[in-house]
Amino acid sequence: MNHKAVILGNNYYIALSVMRGLGVHGIHTVAIDYSDDDTYAAKSKYCNEQLIAPHYKDEPEAFIQFLIDYAKKQDKKPVLMPCHDSYVELIDQYLDQIRKYYLIPQTEQGLYTKTLDKEKLHELATEHGVLVPETVHTNEEDFYEKIDQKIKYPCIVKPTDSPSFVSTFRQKNFKVYSREELDEALQKAEDADLEVIVQRIIPGFDDHMHTFDCYLNQDAKVTHWTTAQKLRQYPINFGASVYTHQLHFPELYEIGKKFLEGIGFKGFVEIEFKKDADTGDFYLIELNVRFTNFDALLTKVGLNFPYITYCELIGDPLPPMSIKEDTGITFWYAYEDLLAIRDYLKTKQLTLLQIIRSFFKKKAYAVWDWKDPKPAFSYAGMIGRKVIKRVTNR
């Protein structure tokens, strides 16, 4: 029997794309979650098993033991693929223990967590000569003077631990326009016992957000890569990709490769950059150390990163590959893009004509697939229930 692929976080379309990317190659996929509720990725025809485990946050040790017990029953080590930051953090915490039973790209315990932590990531980036937005820590002397002189308003109050912040506030950061709003944001974070930093906003519309998506092998060398440009995100200005196209930016390869190989990263990773509208410089914003939101786009342009990961870990690596032309193929997460469009129009950041013109591109869909429609119907039911609940609670 071949190595199975164990996929964590199946209530999101990243896991669905991973499931499909592996399933088309005949790989046995296993969906493991703490509940069956809204796990629409597991409805894919490519899902071979679905298991319910203890809650990874409420019972972390029991969850890890569940994974280990499952792996012990297999003929060969499964490949473990967490599709959400919270799962990544937990796996990193128990990495040395769980690597005895699973195939996992990363070998250095703590590196996943270090790169997810915004403060530690910026320290790493600075050490390796990569630009990061100017930052002030809340415990620095002359804090407000530094905000006025170095950061200026508006600025963003950003968490060091994004998953916990998003889970608490349902947004990535707080954008503040004055000292009063800054104090309010800092108080909210303190009340939630969350550490934050204050950063300068790099000038430029959302289409100044770019990504370097790549795979680094077990020698920590980039073997597969491409770049992309966000066109729209949700929430607008500081959110996740909802309309993103593949576009070649060679300078991102030069910056990203040097940095990632320098820190010894292994496996799939995405660096988000923002291009300064005034200077043209690229600033590192964050790293995504699990498969990205637009994994379906990357697969469609020829870089099936879940399969690339799987093949290398079982000892059968695929030949190096990069996409160096502009395919223009666009990832579309329709539901949240419609919400984003509403807000772009409301704030007059985009016109209706600009939005209409943008749609004439070949697309890679977040959820829909003619060959695998069941997850889309399950997803539609989930959204429908949420809408009804909102309406009835008014």
Side-chain angles (χ1 to χ4, degrees), residues 171-235:
Q171 60 190 88
K172 282 191 169 185
N173 53 53
F174 297 131
K175 185 176 182 180
V176 298
Y177 293 84
S178 64
R179 177 168 174 171
E180 182 180 0
E181 290 186 8
L182 173 61
D183 286 339
E184 290 175 2
L186 294 176
Q187 188 62 54
K188 286 181 182 178
E190 183 179 342
D191 292 343
D193 196 26
L194 292 170
E195 185 178 351
V196 293
I197 54 180
V198 184
Q199 278 188 353
R200 178 174 79 92
I201 297 175
I202 305 301
F205 181 58
D206 289 3
D207 61 1
H208 282 61
M209 293 297 300
H210 301 76
T211 68
F212 173 61
D213 297 87
C214 69
Y215 184 82
L216 293 96
N217 64 14
Q218 289 301 289
D219 294 322
K221 300 298 181 184
V222 173
T223 58
H224 299 74
W225 65 275
T226 191
T227 59
Q229 177 187 27
K230 289 186 181 183
L231 297 176
R232 295 192 289 272
Q233 50 190 353
Y234 184 78

Side-chain angles (χ1 to χ4, degrees), residues 228-257:
Q229 177 187 27
K230 289 186 181 183
L231 297 176
R232 295 192 289 272
Q233 50 190 353
Y234 184 78
I236 64 171
N237 307 140
F238 298 100
S241 300
V242 293
Y243 203 67
T244 297
H245 66 174
Q246 184 279 327
L247 212 60
H248 182 52
F249 291 90
E251 54 267 57
L252 297 186
Y253 170 74
E254 300 299 330
I255 301 170
K257 178 179 184 293

Side-chain angles (χ1 to χ4, degrees), residues 11 18 41 81 119 160 166 184 186 206 230 261 281-282 334:
N11 60 344
V18 171
M81 296 190 169
E119 187 172 359
T160 58
V166 172
E184 290 175 2
L186 294 176
D206 289 3
K230 289 186 181 183
E261 292 183 352
D281 293 326
F282 284 97

Side-chain angles (χ1 to χ4, degrees), residues 284-339:
L284 185 151
I285 303 300
E286 65 180 7
L287 259 64
N288 292 314
V289 298
R290 39 77 187 149
F291 298 110
T292 183
N293 292 51
F294 52 87
D295 181 70
L297 164 64
L298 301 176
T299 297
K300 195 157 189 171
V301 302
L303 289 169
N304 185 340
F305 282 110
Y307 187 58
I308 292 167
T309 303
Y310 179 91
C311 288
E312 199 214 359
L313 293 181
I314 67 169
D316 188 21
L318 298 177
M321 180 180 178
S322 58
I323 308 299
K324 297 180 181 179
E325 68 273 4
D326 297 339
T327 68
I329 298 175
T330 304
F331 165 78
W332 190 29
Y333 181 27
Y335 172 65
E336 288 197 348
D337 188 35
L338 292 175
L339 298 176

Side-chain angles (χ1 to χ4, degrees), residues 29 44 50 63 88 101 115 149 171 180 183 208 219 226 257 267 286 296 304-305 319 327 349 354 388 394:
T29 61
S44 170
Q50 183 178 17
F63 175 78
V88 172
Y101 306 96
T115 51
Q149 298 170 11
Q171 60 190 88
E180 182 180 0
D183 286 339
H208 282 61
D219 294 322
T226 191
K257 178 179 184 293
E286 65 180 7
N304 185 340
F305 282 110
T327 68
Q349 295 182 50
Q354 287 174 315
I388 291 171
R394 285 181 179 177

